[in-house]
Amino acid sequence: DQQVKQNSPSLSVQEGRISILNCDYTNSMFDYFLWYKKYPAEGPTFLISISSIKDKNEDGRFTVFLNKSAKHLSLHIVPSQPGDSAVYFCAASAGDWPGANNLFFGTGTRLTVIP
Amino acid sequence: DGGITQSPKYLFRKEGQNVTLSCEQNLNHDAMYWYRQDPGQGLRLIYYSQIVNDFQKGDIAEGYSVSREKKESFPLTVTSAQKNPTAFYLCASSDGSGQPQHFGDGTRLSIL
């Protein structure tokens, strides 16, 4: 059973606009949520994380929002740039820190930023 | 330059053969992980190791084996018992300082 879900397999956005990637989860025991970015034939690269005790975390152009009651999180990229085009994976873990224990991954959303 | 090295990048196997995927890290991380990615799916955990000489099964361990004799190395063997071995395999590591898992660039395994 998929504990982390990304229901949109793809998203296209114009350069300079906002990209919003969504993720839903089912396990209320998750302590951390992470976003990874992946280019073809490469491993995922960590982007940003959020603790379950927070509702927002911001790092430059990237902001992650967490709605625990809805078991939903989203990644906002503003402004979107062509170099942001990649597959974005949402992941969750139950542990004392973001890298603790195994990660549960969504199926990914392919973001295309159109110049 | 610290990181995780997976080799080879592409690997071909004949049916009925075992094959071992290499994963080496020089980040001094205690924990290491193996994930599998299939087309259109997320990463799924195969095995993980929190410390040398100890490892645990993940969600899809059947048909795989691992060893952790050294802190730096966590090789994964895909055995002939694994019925659908064709996939992209990713190795990751993490430490205990609050950092997220770092990933290698993966090995793509194909059956001839």
Side-chain angles (χ1 to χ4, degrees):
Chain A
D1 189 28
Q2 193 85 11
Q3 298 190 52
V4 178
K5 299 178 184 179
Q6 294 176 257
N7 293 320
S8 298
S10 63
L11 174 69
S12 291
V13 172
Q14 290 286 338
E15 180 178 4
R17 306 294 291 267
I18 184 171
S19 295
I20 300 176
L21 294 91
N22 294 303
C23 178
D24 297 295
Y25 63 95
T26 57
N27 189 343
S28 58
M29 300 301 291
F30 287 138
D31 297 297
Y32 286 94
F33 302 90
L34 304 87
W35 285 94
Y36 281 85
K37 175 180 178 180
K38 185 180 181 301
Y39 293 115
E42 293 183 9
T45 302
F46 171 74
L47 204 54
I48 192 169
S49 67
I50 188 168
S51 163
S52 61
I53 63 173
K54 295 188 176 181
D55 54 20
K56 178 182 175 181
N57 188 27
E58 192 172 352
D59 184 2
R61 296 186 298 114
F62 303 93
T63 303
V64 56
F65 295 93
L66 176 62
N67 182 335
K68 284 190 68 177
S69 61
K71 293 190 175 66
H72 177 84
L73 64 153
S74 60
L75 174 68
H76 293 211
I77 306 174
V78 182
S80 301
Q81 300 174 353
D84 295 330
S85 297
V87 177
Y88 289 77
F89 287 99
C90 172
S93 77
D96 296 329
W97 66 90
N101 300 325
N102 51 297
L103 294 172
F104 294 87
F105 282 85
T107 52
T109 296
R110 180 177 302 277
L111 173 66
T112 302
V113 179
I114 304 165
Chain B
D1 207 11
I4 300 174
T5 302
Q6 290 187 244
S7 60
K9 197 166 183 67
Y10 298 95
L11 190 57
F12 299 92
R13 188 194 94 171
K14 292 182 181 179
E15 288 206 39
Q17 281 184 338
N18 293 352
V19 63
T20 298
L21 283 61
S22 170
C23 178
E24 304 278 332
Q25 54 100 358
N26 60 3
L27 300 166
N28 201 34
H29 285 175
D30 286 314
M32 297 186 74
Y33 308 81
W34 274 105
Y35 293 89
R36 165 181 173 145
Q37 186 189 16
D38 293 285
Q41 295 193 32
L43 283 67
R44 292 180 292 166
L45 183 70
I46 305 173
Y47 267 99
Y48 65 102
S49 168
Q50 301 280 22
I51 197 168
V52 174
N53 292 322
D54 184 57
F55 47 83
Q56 306 294 329
K57 292 182 179 180
D59 299 323
I60 54 167
E62 185 176 350
Y64 299 97
S65 66
V66 293
S67 63
R68 187 85 188 279
E69 297 175 2
K70 297 187 300 182
K71 188 176 186 178
E72 305 78 28
S73 178
F74 191 39
L76 173 74
T77 297
V78 185
T79 74
S80 57
Q82 170 48 239
K83 297 307 177 189
N84 295 294
T86 297
F88 189 50
Y89 290 87
L90 286 157
C91 178
S93 70
S94 69
D95 64 9
S97 68
Q99 296 303 308
Q101 291 180 21
H102 294 261
F103 284 82
D105 281 341
T107 293
R108 184 166 298 281
L109 175 63
S110 301
I111 300 303
L112 296 177

